Structures are given as C-alpha cells and as structure tokens.
Amino acid sequence: MSDVLVIILACGAVNYILRVVPFVFTIGEDLPPYLKRFLDYMPIAALGALILPGIITSFPDNPAAGIAGAAAAALTAWIAGGLILPVFASIGTAWVVLQYFH
C-alpha cells in the first residue's frame, strides 16, 4: 500500500473516532441546559465564520457591494423566507452597488 493511501485511511479513522466517541459516551445522559443552548448556536457561528470573509473579500475594490448584498439577502430571508428570493436580492443589490456606487 502506498504511503498516501495509508495517510488517507488513518485520517479517515481518526475523523470517524472523533465523531463517534461523543455518541458512545453520552447515550442516555441529558446535557445541562446551558450546554444545550451553547451547542444550538454553534452552527450559526460556524456558518458566519465561513461566510463573512468571503463577503468582505468578494469585491476587493468595493467591499461595500458584498456587505450590501449580504444585508439584502438577510433582510429578504427574514421578511419573505425561502432561498431563491434572498439570492436574487443579494445579486441585484451587489450589482446596483457595483454599477452606481463605485
């Protein structure tokens, strides 16, 4: 077996173990309420950490376009919900900012 395949399999095993261990050791136990609240916010925080740098650096000459597009998407998602309308609102707002406020 090549070294690359061994490394890939080892990484996969470590990843699997790290994901399975919490389920194995917490079966039948309830988490404290403060820990449940903390874990409820983790996906939002991770998504924000992944998306925010892309918003700011998407248009290096005019970062306001990315910020305005994200704000338009957030506002549209809050009011109308769904996915299609916020995407189009974001694209349209970023285009307007790039065309008229550059």
Side-chain angles (χ1 to χ4, degrees):
M1 233 187 318
S2 71
D3 292 339
V4 174
L5 185 58
V6 170
I7 291 171
I8 291 173
L9 291 176
C11 288
V14 168
N15 192 356
Y16 180 75
I17 289 169
L18 289 174
R19 291 174 187 266
V20 167
V21 166
F23 290 112
V24 171
F25 289 115
T26 59
I27 292 176
E29 297 178 20
D30 287 335
L31 294 174
Y34 68 90
L35 188 57
K36 283 184 180 181
R37 277 194 317 274
F38 173 76
L39 292 175
D40 284 342
Y41 290 111
M42 289 302 293
I44 298 168
L47 188 61
L50 291 172
I51 290 176
L52 188 61
I55 290 171
I56 295 170
T57 61
S58 59
F59 303 105
D61 295 337
N62 192 359
I67 295 168
L75 183 64
T76 307
W78 184 42
I79 292 171
L83 182 64
I84 300 299
L85 287 176
V87 168
F88 284 128
S90 176
I91 292 170
T93 303
W95 181 81
V96 167
V97 171
L98 286 173
Q99 293 297 311
Y100 299 109
F101 298 103
H102 185 45

